[in-house]
């Protein structure tokens, strides 16, 4: 795993206690690792090494296995996301209607690429595959708010709402 | 736990309340306001509309006059949020929370129709009062989607009212497992997930294997970009899937089912959870179902964003909590599947058809559609088409009917160029094949496939080389990496396409692509890799001249590939207003006010901003 700052000090103990509970609840379940990772990510927002280690010990598997699964699935992230996570749908329906140009504009305005987070931790951009709102293509989602029928011109005004 | 008698009583009493929704006259004067709660309409604020309606009804004391029901998808997503008011069946479209006051005053209280919220039929330009008057619905046959937009998916009683769990009752009390399998076989239904394997045969294989434990899995890992059929069924009618899984369990001798559903579908997951809890409470899931010794339970497993997990062996590995990598077959899952036990895996839409097949019979089902592709198919129609949304049509309908009669044609007067079916595994169908009947075998013959039901329409502005590249980019990022043909081969194909779209294509590139494609198809481990070259092969087959224009003339005929496009100012149209020059981010445009401006191609970064800003449409893309 890549060298990273120690994250233990950042994780609060109450959440870690909750993680213990989650692991306990799933211990006897067949194929528990993925459900536990889902809940852990919900809890912490991402899956730092310490959390992965705790899950490995708790479920009786190796850290390598946990890391292998966490990195296989695109929904799991090892890095914290920005306060506002902006998803630009690059499903086929959105793509043929110019979603790539919306993404380009967003990257240009925020000065980051898809998959990155702004230095102040405020915004991150994620290119996603089909959020299923194809009738509204192209679609951009900021946290839970959905913006449909997007054009590159609309991006700046929408970002201003979050600044 | 309810007895059969109690369930029948619920059916009877609730049916009285809901029968107006299927056109049966009712004495009740209470109006039902059905609001779409599918993902599309939810994104355009339908929950807020429901909230406002409920508040308005409370404040105006209209509780005896109207009730609000949140349903699944009505299909016409392009015009969402959608609302239908029964018994008159008034079909309101693009409703906003601000419209609620007027709807309550005019429609509910005074009995008038709010005409400005009615949809206009694209072809006839007349206002449609009910959904049956819209061309979009005329050729549809809603079978898998029968309850979507008709019932409240969070209320088991409404599902029961339309013969819900009657099919399960019938198989448990009146049929042997082999009779069930026989009925499914005779109906001719084939897997709606894409490959089209006969469902009855799949069940028969698993039924014939002796084992202490077997599993029924439901594939709801709908990963094809641009496809949302399964999500809509789960959101609109979750009980039909649960009922079908229990029927499958009885047929093959299993007591445990798993639904593997995308975590990206929170509404569907939530409604499934509610449905499972209600089904257990009523005793239609659990032990001793309908007083027999049959037991069946269902658990949900969330996917985590890996397209390959739609492949059956990968999906099962993922339920086991591991990296979702596929494995070689045989052994087939019917022999050795989940946790090493015999397992059947059926797609959501396939399952949604099962209760109807049991109740209405195999002959009824096989009378719909064509001889070898029976029944209906749900398509998520999107892209450059007027009526984007969800449609269910009998098999054998032509692509032309879907695109023009149902879909309302291409917007902005543009020409139809191709329709893409089957997602990253399928192909592009050109205008010359618009009259091809939509069934498993005809689509295969013209180099595409049914796929799970995504149907994306493209117009003259879409470059087919770019689209092929788009799909390969998808495959590369979703390849699990286990087998080299998929991991390395698709990347090599992508590199060639990338060069072509950048104007660096060489003589012989098309042949190289074809050779690589054939080798990957033959040698990749699973369906993902074996079908990954299809978008490239089908676009080469039908749009070879477009590839050649990119390679030989360094020109993109659709004007979509950035590196091959040049922006020019039409001197006759330019009024010299300087708008373009002021907006150009790299100062590539210069000129004197009131005389034509010029673009310096050396400096131009081809962002297209000048073209967007020009008030006289004087900037052209070539």
């Amino acid at each position: 795993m890549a060298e990273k700052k120690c994250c233990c000090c950042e994780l609060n103990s109450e959440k870690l206690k909750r993680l213990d509970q989650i692991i306990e609840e799933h211990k006897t379940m067949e194929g528990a690792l993925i459900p536990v990772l889902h809940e852990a990510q919900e809890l912490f927002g991402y899956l730092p090494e310490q959390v992965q280690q705790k899950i490995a010990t708790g479920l009786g598997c190796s850290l390598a296995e946990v890391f292998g699964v966490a990195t296989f699935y695109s929904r799991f992230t090892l890095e914290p996301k920005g306060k506002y996570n902006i998803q630009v749908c690059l499903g086929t329906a959105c793509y043929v209607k110019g979603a790539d140009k919306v993404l380009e504009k967003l990257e240009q305005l925020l000065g980051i690429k898809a998959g990155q987070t702004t230095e102040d931790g405020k915004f991150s951009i994620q290119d996603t595959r089909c959020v299923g709102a194809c009738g509204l293509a192209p679609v951009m989602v900021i946290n839970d708010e959905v913006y449909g029928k997007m054009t590159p011109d609309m991006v700046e005004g929408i970002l201003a709402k979050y600044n | 736990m309810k007895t059969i008698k109690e369930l029948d009583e619920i059916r009877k009493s609730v049916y009285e309340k809901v029968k107006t929704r299927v056109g049966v006259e009712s004495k009740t004067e209470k109006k039902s306001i059905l609001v779409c709660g599918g993902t599309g309409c939810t994104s355009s604020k339908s929950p807020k509309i429901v909230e406002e309606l409920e508040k308005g009804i409370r404040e105006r004391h209209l509780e005896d006059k109207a009730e609000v029901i949140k349903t699944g998808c009505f299909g016409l997503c392009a015009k969402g949020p959608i609302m239908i008011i029964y018994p008159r069946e008034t079909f309101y479209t693009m409703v906003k929370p601000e419209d609620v006051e007027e709807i309550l005053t005019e429609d509910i209280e005074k009995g008038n129709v709010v005409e400005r919220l009615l949809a206009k039929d694209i072809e006839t330009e007349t206002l449609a009062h009910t959904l049956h008057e819209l061309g979009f619905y005329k050729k549809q046959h809603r079978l898998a989607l029968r309850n979507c937009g008709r019932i409240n998916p969070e209320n088991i009683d409404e599902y029961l009212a339309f013969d819900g769990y009657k099919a399960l009752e019938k198989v448990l009390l009146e049929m042997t497992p082999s009779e069930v399998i026989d009925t499914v076989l005779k109906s001719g239904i084939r897997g709606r997930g894409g490959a089209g394997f006969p469902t009855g045969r799949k069940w028969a294989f698993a039924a014939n294997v002796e084992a202490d434990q077997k599993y029924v899995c439901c594939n709801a890992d709908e990963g094809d970009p641009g496809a949302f059929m399964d999500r809509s069924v789960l959101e609109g009618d979750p009980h039909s899937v649960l009922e079908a899984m229990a029927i499958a369990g009885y047929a093959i001798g299993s007591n445990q089912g798993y639904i593997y559903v995308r975590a990206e579908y929170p509404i569907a997951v939530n409604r499934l959870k509610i449905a499972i809890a209600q089904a257990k409470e009523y005793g239609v899931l659990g032990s001793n179902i309908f007083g027999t010794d049959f037991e069946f339970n269902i658990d949900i497993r969330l996917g985590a964003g890996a397209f390959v997990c739609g492949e059956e062996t990968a999906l099962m590995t993922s339920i086991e909590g591991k990296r979702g990598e596929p494995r070689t077959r045989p052994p087939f899952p019917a022999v050795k599947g989940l946790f090493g036990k015999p397992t059947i895996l059926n797609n959501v839409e396939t399952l949604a058809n099962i209760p109807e097949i049991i109740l209405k019979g195999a002959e009824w089902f096989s009378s719909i559609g064509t001889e070898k592709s029976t029944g209906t198919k749900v398509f998520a129609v999107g892209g450059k088409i007027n009526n984007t949304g969800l449609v269910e049509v009998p098999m054998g309908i032509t692509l032309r009917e879907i695109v023009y009669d149902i879909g309302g044609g291409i917007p902005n007067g543009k020409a139809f160029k191709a329709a893409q079916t089957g997602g990253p595994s399928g192909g592009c169908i050109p205008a010359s094949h618009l009259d091809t009947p939509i069934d498993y075998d005809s689509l295969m013959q013209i180099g595409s496939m049914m796929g799970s039901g995504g149907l994306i329409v493209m117009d003259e502005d879409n470059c087919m080389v770019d689209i092929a590249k788009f799909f390969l980019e998808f495959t590369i990022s979703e390849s699990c990496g286990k087998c080299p043909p998929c991991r390395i081969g698709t990347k090599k194909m992508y590199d060639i396409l990338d060069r072509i779209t950048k104007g660096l294509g060489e003589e012989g590139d098309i042949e190289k692509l074809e050779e690589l494609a054939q080798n990957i198809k033959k040698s990749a481990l699973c369906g993902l890799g074996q079908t990954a070259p299809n978008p490239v092969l089908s676009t080469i087959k039908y749009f070879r001249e477009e590839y050649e224009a990119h390679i030989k003339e360094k020109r993109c005929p659709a004007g979509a590939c950035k590196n091959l496009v040049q922006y020019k100012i039409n001197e006759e149209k330019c009024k010299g207003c300087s708008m373009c020059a002021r907006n150009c981010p790299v100062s590539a445009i210069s000129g004197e006010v009131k005389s034509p401006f010029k673009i310096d191609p050396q400096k131009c970064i081809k962002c297209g901003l000048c073209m967007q800003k020009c008030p006289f449409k004087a900037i052209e893309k070539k």
Side-chain angles (χ1 to χ4, degrees):
Chain A
M1 200 177 293
E3 284 247 326
K4 266 195 310 190
K5 263 196 322 198
C6 158
C7 54
C8 349
C9 21
E10 295 164 23
L11 300 176
N12 81 44
S13 59
E14 225 157 84
K15 283 186 180 174
L16 286 173
K17 250 188 231 156
R18 174 74 194 114
L19 179 64
D20 284 331
Q21 270 175 11
I22 294 172
I23 295 170
E24 203 49 46
E25 285 162 20
H26 288 82
K27 249 185 172 157
T28 54
M29 179 183 187
E30 276 182 298
L33 180 52
I34 293 173
V36 169
L37 286 174
H38 270 300
E39 290 202 27
Q41 179 158 300
E42 180 92 347
L43 190 65
F44 296 98
Y46 68 117
L47 299 168
E49 190 178 330
Q50 191 194 357
V51 169
Q52 293 178 53
Q53 183 63 64
K54 239 175 151 21
I55 294 173
T57 318
L59 294 179
C61 55
S62 70
L63 179 60
E65 261 174 83
V66 176
F67 179 73
V69 170
T71 50
F72 184 85
Y73 296 96
S74 64
R75 203 173 165 83
F76 298 132
T77 169
L78 308 188
E79 304 285 339
K81 291 240 168 76
K83 185 176 171 203
Y84 300 110
N85 185 33
I86 309 174
Q87 296 175 292
V88 180
C89 176
L90 287 188
T92 322
C94 288
Y95 185 79
V96 301
K97 284 191 161 180
D100 51 332
K101 299 194 177 61
V102 174
L103 178 62
E104 214 170 87
K105 183 80 189 177
L106 196 59
E107 290 178 332
Q108 187 200 327
L109 286 173
L110 292 177
I112 51 170
K113 290 274 167 205
Q116 296 177 334
T117 305
T118 52
E119 262 182 30
D120 58 5
K122 199 158 184 186
F123 294 103
S124 42
I125 309 178
Q126 206 187 340
D127 51 341
T128 61
R129 305 289 183 192
C130 203
V131 295
C134 309
L136 306 173
V139 173
M140 179 170 102
V141 187
I142 303 185
N143 290 353
D144 287 327
E145 189 74 20
V146 180
Y147 297 91
K149 299 184 180 157
M150 288 290 299
T151 62
D153 280 348
M154 289 160 67
V155 176
E156 199 164 358
I158 291 172
L159 283 183
K161 285 206 252 175
Y162 295 87
N163 264 318
Chain B
M1 185 97 173
K2 302 251 188 272
T3 62
I4 293 178
K5 204 174 147 221
E6 284 168 331
L7 289 175
D8 278 335
E9 276 161 15
I10 295 173
R11 282 192 187 102
K12 220 173 131 195
S13 72
V14 179
Y15 182 73
E16 282 307 311
K17 288 186 206 156
V18 298
K19 65 184 182 186
T20 59
R21 298 180 208 164
V22 284
V24 179
E25 255 185 64
S26 162
K27 279 180 223 141
T28 171
E29 287 186 8
K30 195 170 175 180
K31 290 182 178 174
S32 301
I33 310 174
L34 275 63
V35 183
C36 176
T39 295
C41 288
T42 297
S43 304
S44 35
K45 307 209 167 33
S46 76
K48 181 84 187 150
I49 296 170
V50 171
E51 204 180 290
E52 293 285 320
L53 279 169
E54 283 171 344
K55 199 174 112 204
I57 289 174
R58 251 192 338 266
E59 283 171 3
R60 296 172 184 224
H61 305 292
L62 294 173
E63 286 89 347
D64 295 331
K65 283 191 116 175
E67 60 171 342
V68 187
I69 298 115
K70 195 167 69 181
T71 70
C73 185
F74 290 108
L76 191 50
C77 306
K79 296 247 186 317
I82 286 174
M83 177 191 288
I84 300 186
I85 303 184
Y86 287 96
R88 199 162 50 193
E89 227 184 338
T90 317
F91 189 72
Y92 292 135
T93 55
M94 299 175 104
V95 181
K96 292 189 201 66
E98 304 87 89
D99 299 328
V100 167
E101 285 286 310
E102 191 179 343
I103 292 169
L104 287 176
T105 309
E106 288 301 319
D107 192 309
I108 304 300
E109 292 188 320
K110 296 188 191 161
N112 300 324
V113 173
V114 184
E115 288 209 351
R116 65 176 185 88
L117 294 175
L118 296 176
K120 214 182 239 175
D121 186 72
I122 289 175
E123 211 176 318
T124 60
E125 294 229 326
T126 51
L127 285 180
H129 285 258
T130 68
L131 57 87
H132 310 289
E133 292 165 33
L134 283 174
F136 179 75
Y137 288 102
K138 278 181 191 155
K139 290 198 168 171
Q140 290 202 46
H141 186 142
R142 284 165 82 94
L143 206 158
L145 299 175
R146 62 193 177 278
N147 283 327
C148 291
R150 184 161 92 176
I151 63 167
N152 175 355
E154 297 181 13
N155 183 350
I156 187 173
D157 292 352
E158 293 200 0
Y159 178 70
L160 286 168
F162 293 109
D163 289 336
Y165 291 103
K166 269 272 178 206
L168 181 60
E169 187 188 314
K170 185 176 170 185
V171 304
L172 292 186
L173 301 182
E174 298 167 24
M175 295 169 85
T176 64
S178 61
E179 281 170 346
V180 176
I181 291 173
D182 221 38
T183 306
V184 176
L185 260 177
K186 277 196 189 130
S187 76
I189 186 169
R190 296 165 68 174
R192 301 297 195 239
F197 191 80
T199 307
R201 270 174 61 199
K202 211 181 228 183
W203 290 16
F205 286 145
N208 290 336
V209 181
E210 288 283 330
D212 56 342
Q213 177 72 56
K214 295 179 189 178
Y215 295 105
V216 175
C217 291
C218 167
N219 188 348
D221 189 47
E222 188 172 50
D224 279 15
F228 53 94
M229 303 74 50
D230 297 344
R231 195 203 64 211
S232 300
V233 172
L234 294 175
E235 285 176 359
D237 192 17
H239 284 286
S240 67
V241 177
L242 303 185
E243 183 177 4
M245 287 177 75
I247 293 170
Y250 175 72
I252 69 158
S254 159
N255 62 6
Q256 178 65 45
Y258 286 100
I259 302 177
Y260 188 83
V261 54
R262 289 181 78 188
E264 288 87 342
Y265 287 174
I267 301 176
V269 173
N270 187 36
R271 293 197 183 143
L272 271 175
K273 283 184 183 161
I274 294 171
I276 292 174
Q278 289 176 343
K280 276 187 184 157
E281 192 196 318
Y282 277 35
V284 288
L285 283 182
S287 48
N288 300 109
I289 301 175
F290 295 124
T292 65
D293 56 6
F294 177 63
E295 178 190 350
F296 197 75
N297 288 295
I298 297 176
D299 283 321
I300 301 173
R301 285 287 184 277
L302 296 188
F307 177 68
V308 69
C309 289
E311 197 277 343
E312 59 178 4
T313 58
L315 184 147
M316 290 170 200
T317 319
S318 181
I319 294 181
E320 290 168 4
K322 301 175 200 149
R323 290 165 68 92
E325 289 174 0
R327 59 163 178 78
T328 43
R329 296 170 304 179
F332 286 93
V335 178
K336 209 173 167 195
L338 185 60
F339 302 117
K341 303 291 180 187
T343 305
I344 54 165
L345 176 71
N346 289 123
N347 158 274
V348 172
E349 190 189 331
T350 315
L351 290 168
N353 280 299
I354 299 292
E356 286 287 277
I357 293 175
I358 298 292
L359 285 179
K360 296 188 177 162
E363 288 74 25
W364 164 82
F365 187 82
S366 60
S367 71
I368 305 163
T370 66
E371 194 194 335
K372 285 188 176 157
S373 301
T374 56
T376 59
K377 179 77 194 86
V378 183
F379 286 100
V381 182
K384 307 277 184 68
I385 189 157
N386 280 312
N387 295 333
T388 51
L390 197 69
V391 309
E392 182 168 358
V393 289
M395 297 270 194
I397 195 171
T398 65
L399 184 59
R400 186 184 301 279
E401 288 173 281
I402 296 182
V403 173
Y404 289 96
D405 300 346
I406 297 173
I410 319 297
N412 309 321
K414 301 267 181 180
F416 171 91
K417 185 167 187 180
Q420 212 278 346
T421 64
S425 308
C428 290
I429 307 168
S432 56
H433 283 293
L434 265 171
D435 292 309
T436 304
I438 302 284
D439 62 64
Y440 291 100
D441 312 290
S442 306
L443 285 179
M444 210 63 131
Q445 247 169 32
I446 58 170
S448 187
M449 69 185 282
M450 182 75 83
S452 60
L455 198 158
I456 311 287
V457 178
M458 286 169 253
D459 70 8
E460 52 196 284
D461 293 339
N462 291 116
C463 166
M464 302 318 280
V465 186
D466 182 58
I467 291 297
K469 188 177 114 176
F470 164 80
F471 279 114
L472 269 190
E473 195 183 349
F474 179 87
T475 319
I476 291 172
S477 77
E478 294 298 337
S479 171
C480 77
K482 188 171 177 178
C483 77
C486 178
R487 183 182 70 235
I488 302 170
T490 55
K491 177 76 172 75
K492 288 289 160 206
M493 286 180 74
Y494 175 85
D495 290 344
I496 297 175
L497 286 171
D498 191 46
R499 271 198 291 110
I500 296 177
T501 55
K502 286 186 172 145
L504 303 167
E506 296 159 8
E507 239 0 277
D509 273 350
I510 299 179
E511 290 71 22
K512 259 188 232 161
L513 279 172
E514 285 173 326
E515 194 191 336
L516 270 166
Q518 293 307 340
N519 290 338
I520 294 170
K521 274 172 89 88
K522 270 184 254 164
S523 56
L525 173 63
C526 81
L528 190 154
Q530 288 158 8
T531 57
N534 287 353
V536 181
L537 286 175
S538 79
T539 48
I540 291 178
K541 185 171 172 192
Y542 295 117
F543 300 95
R544 197 179 182 103
E545 71 289 347
E546 215 167 313
Y547 278 81
E548 282 168 351
H550 281 78
I551 297 169
K552 291 181 187 156
E553 302 163 36
K554 311 295 175 208
R555 185 174 65 85
C556 172
C561 296
K562 221 167 144 183
N563 293 56
L564 301 181
V565 163
Q566 276 211 348
Y567 287 89
K568 274 203 177 120
I569 297 178
N570 183 329
E571 295 194 359
E572 277 168 28
K573 287 186 184 167
C574 179
K575 303 263 191 270
C577 73
S578 82
M579 185 66 107
C580 53
R582 279 182 279 144
N583 277 291
C584 178
V586 290
S587 308
I589 309 178
S590 57
E592 302 251 328
V593 176
K594 289 188 180 164
S595 53
F597 277 60
K598 268 205 159 53
I599 301 174
D600 179 355
Q602 299 298 318
K603 286 188 188 165
C604 175
I605 53 163
K606 296 162 185 172
C607 67
L609 198 60
C610 52
M611 195 171 168
Q612 278 174 33
K613 296 285 179 188
C614 176
F616 308 105
K617 296 197 164 42
I619 296 172
E620 291 163 356
K621 196 159 71 162
K622 277 186 181 151

